[in-house]
Amino acid sequence: MALRAIARHLDLDRNVVRRFARAATWQQAAPTWPQRVGILTPYQGHLHRRWNEGQHNVAALFRELAARGFGGSEPTVRLYVTNHREALDLGLLLPLQHAAPSRSPDC
């Protein structure tokens, strides 16, 4: 079939069909978005470590992160835990890892 006919049949833009047709693999044609660093990214290591140590209370985790300089809210921590519960339960760390900002212990 011609690309125009395929586009009409799939109800896609002709240029989208052309991009997929020219690609050697679907990964070459698939859109990619830049990975952004989230507000919790610098604190993921601590969050996962504390979860593995048995601290599953979101309010307590939030207080610990706030003491380390986290500027977000408790609902942000709750949403992170909810969305990453499987990784937390398996003890996995997510790919974007950065060291948490160092804070003096007297803060």
Side-chain angles (χ1 to χ4, degrees):
M1 288 177 80
L3 294 180
R4 188 175 299 236
I6 294 170
R8 201 171 31 250
H9 179 73
L10 296 174
D11 194 28
L12 292 173
D13 183 74
R14 175 171 55 93
N15 292 325
V16 172
V17 173
R18 183 184 314 149
R19 185 176 68 227
F20 277 93
R22 289 181 178 172
T25 63
W26 68 267
Q27 290 92 344
Q28 291 175 339
T32 58
W33 292 273
Q35 293 291 325
R36 295 186 315 185
V37 176
I39 191 170
L40 268 170
T41 301
Y43 306 96
Q44 281 180 346
H46 177 76
L47 192 60
H48 284 249
R49 185 174 59 256
R50 292 295 290 136
W51 186 271
N52 290 334
E53 291 171 357
Q55 180 57 272
H56 296 170
N57 183 305
V58 173
L61 289 169
F62 167 72
R63 286 191 300 273
E64 290 178 16
L65 294 180
R68 292 175 152 263
F70 175 62
S73 64
E74 185 177 329
T76 301
V77 176
R78 185 176 312 284
L79 182 64
Y80 179 88
V81 168
T82 302
N83 290 339
H84 298 94
R85 186 169 303 270
E86 185 175 332
L88 287 165
D89 288 341
L90 293 174
L92 302 175
L93 289 177
L94 299 175
L96 288 174
Q97 290 286 318
H98 301 287
S102 61
R103 302 281 292 191
S104 61
D106 56 355
C107 288

